[in-house]
Every structure is written in structure tokens, then in C-alpha cells.
């Protein structure tokens, strides 16, 4: 059975871009008669708030995006992450943010700093002399990780060259998204991950962790980010694509229809019910680029 999930971070209101990822994840699972899991990714105590999580659930329910199971929120699953963390080859890293972002540091294509390995081979005495609380990184080999994405085709990354040893636990003790997501997906039997293209660059790291931990790799489909009719990426600052604002101007069926049309699932921008979209869903129809909202949304 297909097991899919939607894993939002409750760090703000849902905007149409989040709804779009959720809808495609849902349609894929529901059209296959599978099981849908909701997981609130509230790892970061500085950014996440319970009221956003409550609003997220209400928004999903209003849209008709239901779930069969809700996994325990990430903030309450520290033990599972600690257990996985203990099985991995990690080391403490004492570099400050400024040291990591030094002007000369090489950057990956997504703008992230490629870790140079400064703390990789410190001796016990060198570690003992440090006063800063360390973050913990996992060692990565100079090898390519590759996988075939349902929409993007073959993706390859050499973690050592394009990312470097990456953080699994922050200096404040919070486990990193990369580790939590891998543990949660595996322990809940997720077989299919449909999510935004903005997370594609994390996937090779997640697959690497799955292999180290002996977990199966699910199927992936990274969907292009939704853009406005002029081709600009939607952002949270666009209050007009906040679901609450949209719900005042459009019915649920109109919102579902405009998203389905943007994805290539409907030929024209018209109302559609969830049942119709489930019955006619087909990955072959989903566009691989240029997912744009119709003009009249704005
Ligand atoms: N929590 C992440 C976000 O809201 C999504 C993680 C995922 O789908 O793997 O951006």
C-alpha cells in the first residue's frame, strides 16, 4: 500500500504554495487508495508555534485534505532521534556561524556553505580546549548519491564536494531536520514523498542517512514551486495568497480547481471537487515546470 505524508512546519500561516504541495501529495495517495499521514515538524522551538499547527489542521480540513493518522509532533520524538544519532559516525564541530560563513567559504548551488571539515580531525586535547558548545556533524564519503525523482528525473550529488559533513544535532541540542525527517518517515512506513522542489537539495543527504541506518528509500517526487502568473515565486509576504484571505474571495472548489489547473491536471481554471480530482489524477499529466497560478487569483 502507498503510504504518503504531509509534513508542514508550523512557522507561519499556510499559503497557496504549501497547499499546492499538500494537494499533490494527497491526490497521489488517495488516487492509489493509500494511507495519508500528517506530521507536524515543530523541531525548531524558536520558529514554531502550536497555534500555527492548529490553524494548519483547520486549513487542511476545510480544503478536504484529510489524513488517516497523525504522527506525534517532532518536538516530542527526541528519543527516537537520539537513538538513530547514536548509531551514526558523528563528531563535534565548534565553528561559529561567522567562521562557517567566512567570505572565502565555497557555497553550494543553493547558497549553503560547503563545510570544509575544520573540526573533522581534531584531537581529544584540541576538543577539550574548546569552550563553545558543539554542533554534531556526520561524516560523508567522497561518493555520489543518486536517485530517480518521479518528476525531476535522475538527481546526483557528491556529498563531500557539494555539501560536506552536515549537522545532525545543533549546538542547542535540537536534532536537525535531516535526521528527524529520515527517522520519522522510516518509522511510519512512508513509501512516497511528494514535496516542494525547494527541498530537493536535501534529498541526497536524507538518502545517505537512510542507507547508514538501514532504512528503505521511499519514492520521491519534487514538485516545482508555484509561481504567480508573471512567473514570480510565491512568498509568505504575499498576504493575498494566504489561505484565509483567499477563502474570503473563492470557494474551496475554486481554490482546488485553480491549483489543479496550475499543476496541469485541469485544462482550464474552473471549480473542481476533491472527488473529481482524485478520480482523474495522473502523474503523467503533472507539469514538470512552469506551475503558474491563473491571472485572476490576484
Ligand atoms: N517541514 C518541511 C517544510 O515545511 C517539509 C519537510 C518535508 O516534506 O520533508 O518545509
Amino acid at each position: 500500500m502507498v503510504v504518503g505524508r504531509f509534513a508542514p512546519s508550523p512557522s507561519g500561516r499556510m499559503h497557496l504554495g504549501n497547499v499546492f504541495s499538500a494537494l499533490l501529495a494527497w491526490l497521489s495517495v488517495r488516487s492509489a487508495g493509500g494511507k495519508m499521514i500528517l506530521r507536524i515538524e515543530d523541531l525548531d522551538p524558536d520558529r514554531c508555534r502550536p497555534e500555527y499547527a492548529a490553524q494548519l489542521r483547520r486549513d487542511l480540513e476545510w480544503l478536504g485534505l484529510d489524513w488517516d493518522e497523525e504522527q506525534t509532533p517532532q518536538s516530542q520524538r527526541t528519543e527516537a532521534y537520539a537513538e538513530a544519532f547514536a548509531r551514526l559516525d558523528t563528531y563535534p564541530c565548534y565553528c561559529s556561524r561567522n567562521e562557517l560563513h567566512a567570505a572565502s567559504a565555497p557555497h553550494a548551488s543553493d547558497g549553503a556553505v560547503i563545510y570544509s571539515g575544520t573540526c573533522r580531525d581534531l584531537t581529544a586535547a584540541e576538543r577539550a580546549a574548546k569552550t563553545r558548545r558543539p554542533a554534531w556533524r556526520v561524516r560523508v564519503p567522497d561518493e555520489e548519491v543518486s536517485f530517480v525523482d518521479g518528476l525531476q528525473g535522475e538527481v546526483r550529488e557528491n556529498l563531500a564536494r557539494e555539501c560536506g559533513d552536515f549537522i545532525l544535532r545543533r549546538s542547542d541540542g535540537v536534532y536537525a531536520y535531516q535526521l528527524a525527517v529520515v527517522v520519522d518517515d522510516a518509522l511510519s512506513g512512508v513509501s512516497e514523498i511528494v514535496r516542494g522542489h525547494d527541498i530537493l537539495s536535501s534529498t541526497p543527504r536524507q538518502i545517505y542517512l537512510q542507507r547508514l541506518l538501514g532504512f528503505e528509500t521511499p519514492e520521491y517526487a519534487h514538485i516545482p514551486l508555484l509561481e504567480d502568473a508573471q512567473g514570480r515565486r510565491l512568498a509568505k509576504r504575499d498576504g493575498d495568497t494566504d489561505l484565509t484571505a483567499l477563502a474570503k474571495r473563492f470557494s474551496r472548489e475554486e481554490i482546488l480547481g485553480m491549483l489543479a489547473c496550475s499543476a496541469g491536471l485541469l485544462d482550464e481554471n474552473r471549480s473542481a471537487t476533491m472527488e473529481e480530482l482524485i478520480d482523474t489524477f495522473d502523474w503523467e499529466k503533472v507539469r514538470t515546470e512552469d506551475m503558474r497560478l491563473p491571472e485572476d487569483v490576484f
Side-chain angles (χ1 to χ4, degrees):
M1 181 169 69
V2 176
V3 181
R5 49 56 148 196
F6 180 51
S9 302
S11 58
R13 303 297 305 271
M14 273 235 279
H15 68 85
L16 220 43
N18 311 125
V19 177
F20 189 59
S21 306
L23 178 63
L24 286 174
W26 246 269
L27 290 176
S28 182
V29 167
R30 290 293 181 229
S31 65
K35 172 172 145 187
M36 194 67 194
I37 294 175
L38 174 67
R39 179 173 71 235
I40 300 293
E41 301 211 318
D42 56 352
L43 272 179
D44 189 339
D46 303 331
R47 292 177 53 232
C48 297
R49 294 211 216 130
E51 53 272 31
Y52 287 136
Q55 183 64 42
L56 263 164
R57 291 190 193 92
R58 282 198 293 273
D59 286 345
L60 293 172
E61 275 165 2
W62 181 77
L63 283 160
L65 299 173
D66 58 345
W67 52 95
D68 305 300
E69 188 184 308
E70 180 167 352
Q71 213 175 352
T72 308
Q74 289 188 327
S75 59
Q76 294 164 43
R77 291 179 40 75
T78 311
E79 263 176 47
Y81 311 141
E83 191 269 332
F85 178 82
R87 288 163 54 204
L88 297 166
D89 181 12
T90 56
Y91 63 86
C93 168
Y94 302 88
C95 296
S96 69
R97 195 174 291 252
N98 285 346
E99 283 160 351
L100 293 173
H101 287 82
S104 58
H107 286 66
S109 54
D110 64 358
V113 173
I114 300 172
Y115 184 61
S116 64
T118 311
C119 295
R120 195 178 223 237
D121 299 312
L122 295 182
T123 61
E126 283 167 329
R127 284 182 187 153
K130 301 278 184 190
T131 50
R132 183 190 297 278
R133 270 218 295 186
W136 290 78
R137 293 181 184 269
V138 65
R139 287 172 206 274
V140 301
D142 186 5
E143 278 166 27
E144 224 165 46
V145 174
S146 70
F147 70 102
V148 178
D149 184 89
L151 280 180
Q152 311 298 327
E154 187 167 47
V155 177
R156 304 176 156 272
E157 186 175 309
N158 179 308
L159 290 176
R161 289 181 206 175
E162 296 171 60
C163 165
D165 298 340
F166 56 96
I167 292 182
L168 293 189
R169 194 175 171 196
R170 303 189 330 197
S171 59
D172 62 2
V174 173
Y175 287 98
Y177 155 71
Q178 307 294 356
L179 178 66
V181 81
V182 163
V183 170
D184 286 344
D185 285 333
L187 297 190
S188 55
V190 165
S191 64
E192 174 184 281
I193 295 182
V194 177
R195 60 187 178 187
H197 191 271
D198 51 334
I199 305 179
L200 182 63
S201 64
S202 290
T203 306
R205 275 173 273 174
Q206 295 173 12
I207 292 176
Y208 173 62
L209 292 179
Q210 287 156 5
R211 291 179 187 164
L212 292 178
L213 291 164
F215 297 150
E216 302 236 345
T217 292
E219 302 284 333
Y220 286 98
H222 289 86
I223 51 177
L225 299 182
L226 190 60
E227 298 171 341
D228 67 15
Q230 284 71 43
R232 285 183 306 234
R233 185 179 161 181
L234 298 186
K236 282 196 179 161
R237 66 183 153 69
D238 296 331
D240 43 3
T241 63
D242 175 307
L243 197 59
T244 312
L246 282 172
K248 293 195 180 117
R249 295 168 53 216
F250 299 102
S251 69
R252 172 192 13 226
E253 286 72 25
E254 282 170 331
I255 293 175
L256 290 174
M258 71 179 68
L259 291 173
C261 173
S262 308
L265 293 167
L266 285 181
D267 294 335
E268 53 172 343
N269 181 21
R270 61 167 172 84
S271 301
T273 62
M274 196 60 127
E275 291 69 36
E276 176 190 355
L277 296 178
I278 291 171
D279 286 348
T280 56
F281 180 78
D282 181 358
W283 273 114
E284 294 292 317
K285 288 195 251 169
V286 176
R287 290 201 190 102
T288 54
E289 52 192 22
D290 260 0
M291 293 197 176
R292 291 196 184 168
L293 284 167
E295 285 283 352
D296 49 357
V297 179
F298 296 94

